[in-house]
Amino acid sequence: MGALGHFLERQGIPTTGISLVREHTETIRPPRALWVTFELGRPMGIPDDAPFQRRVVNAALDLLACTDGPLIADYPEHVADGADLSGWACPINLAPAATDSLAAEIERLATWYDRAVAAQGRTTVGVSGLDMPAAGVMVTQALDGALPEAQALKQAIDDLRAYYLEAASAFPDPGSAATRKKWFWDETKLAKALLALQPKLATSADAQHKILGNLTLIPATERYRLG
């Protein structure tokens, strides 16, 4: 949400938010954030305590009057020991839904990618000149039989791979580079699309498509997944 806040601010829309993990907020540096000491999943504090929650929301909204951000304001109230916290919490679920499309998967990763770029100050995405939804459309069209020029397809795929792996580096539990690559090939719709695309390219009448399909589309360490 911090990365999204920067985007909205560039469009002239003031933003504010609530931070539960100060270290993350200090890295992303959103335009305005109210840091609270409540446990994860309960950004408003005590469940079913409307006055308490209203004070939290009003404190976050009051930050909209500040124009000298990025800033992090400390919320002064704390949840007392022994308070009843058995009410609803906000779950975090990164697992893709069974009905997800490739386009939906790409969209869902956008916030994580923005966080990764904000934290690292750089990205390797951009060689294709496409935004990631457009790169995803190119892959989908190739799967449907409309194979684009091989170099353009390769660059779009290279960008998508980098986008996914950079996004994964910003997950709450990013793991190692090796575990992120395993996640990519085991769990993502993009990896399944690339595996399905390989035989179409390998049997194409176009020599460049054949090279892409047979040599560079699927890394040697993952070719056991084919057929």
Side-chain angles (χ1 to χ4, degrees), residues 41-66:
R42 295 188 170 87
M44 301 303 166
I46 304 173
D48 301 319
D49 187 337
F52 188 102
Q53 295 174 353
R54 191 175 296 111
R55 292 195 298 274
V56 175
V57 172
N58 285 337
L61 292 175
D62 286 345
L63 297 181
L64 291 172
C66 301

Side-chain angles (χ1 to χ4, degrees), residues 49 66 74 105 146 179:
D49 187 337
C66 301
D74 296 345
E105 183 176 78
T179 57

Side-chain angles (χ1 to χ4, degrees), residues 1-10 15-19 24-25 27-33 70 111-112 114-115 118:
M1 294 303 294
L4 179 60
H6 285 293
F7 171 80
L8 293 173
E9 294 271 341
R10 288 196 295 270
T15 63
T16 186
I18 295 174
S19 165
H24 291 179
T25 307
T27 297
I28 297 170
R29 304 182 74 239
R32 301 167 194 83
T111 296
W112 300 107
D114 288 343
R115 290 185 179 187

Side-chain angles (χ1 to χ4, degrees), residues 82-212:
D84 181 9
L85 299 178
S86 59
W88 289 98
C90 302
I92 298 175
N93 183 7
L94 299 175
T99 56
D100 252 355
S101 64
L102 176 58
E105 183 176 78
I106 291 169
E107 180 180 2
R108 190 175 61 252
L109 289 171
T111 296
W112 300 107
Y113 170 76
D114 288 343
R115 290 185 179 187
V117 173
Q120 297 170 15
R122 59 181 177 80
T123 181
T124 58
V125 175
V127 66
S128 70
L130 300 173
D131 60 36
M132 293 303 94
V137 168
M138 182 178 289
V139 171
T140 300
Q141 290 175 340
L143 273 174
D144 291 339
L147 292 176
E149 187 266 331
Q151 183 64 15
L153 180 58
K154 180 183 183 302
Q155 290 176 342
I157 291 169
D158 287 346
D159 272 350
L160 283 167
R161 282 176 176 156
Y163 170 80
Y164 272 64
L165 294 173
E166 289 179 22
S169 73
F171 285 176
D173 181 9
S176 65
T179 57
R180 291 194 292 273
K181 287 181 181 178
K182 187 175 187 301
W183 160 80
F184 177 83
W185 289 105
D186 284 351
E187 300 184 32
T188 69
K189 296 250 178 225
L190 177 59
K192 290 179 174 61
L194 298 183
L195 292 168
L197 181 58
Q198 189 273 341
K200 297 179 183 293
L201 293 170
T203 58
S204 170
D206 182 86
Q208 294 304 311
H209 286 153
K210 283 182 179 291
I211 292 172
L212 178 58

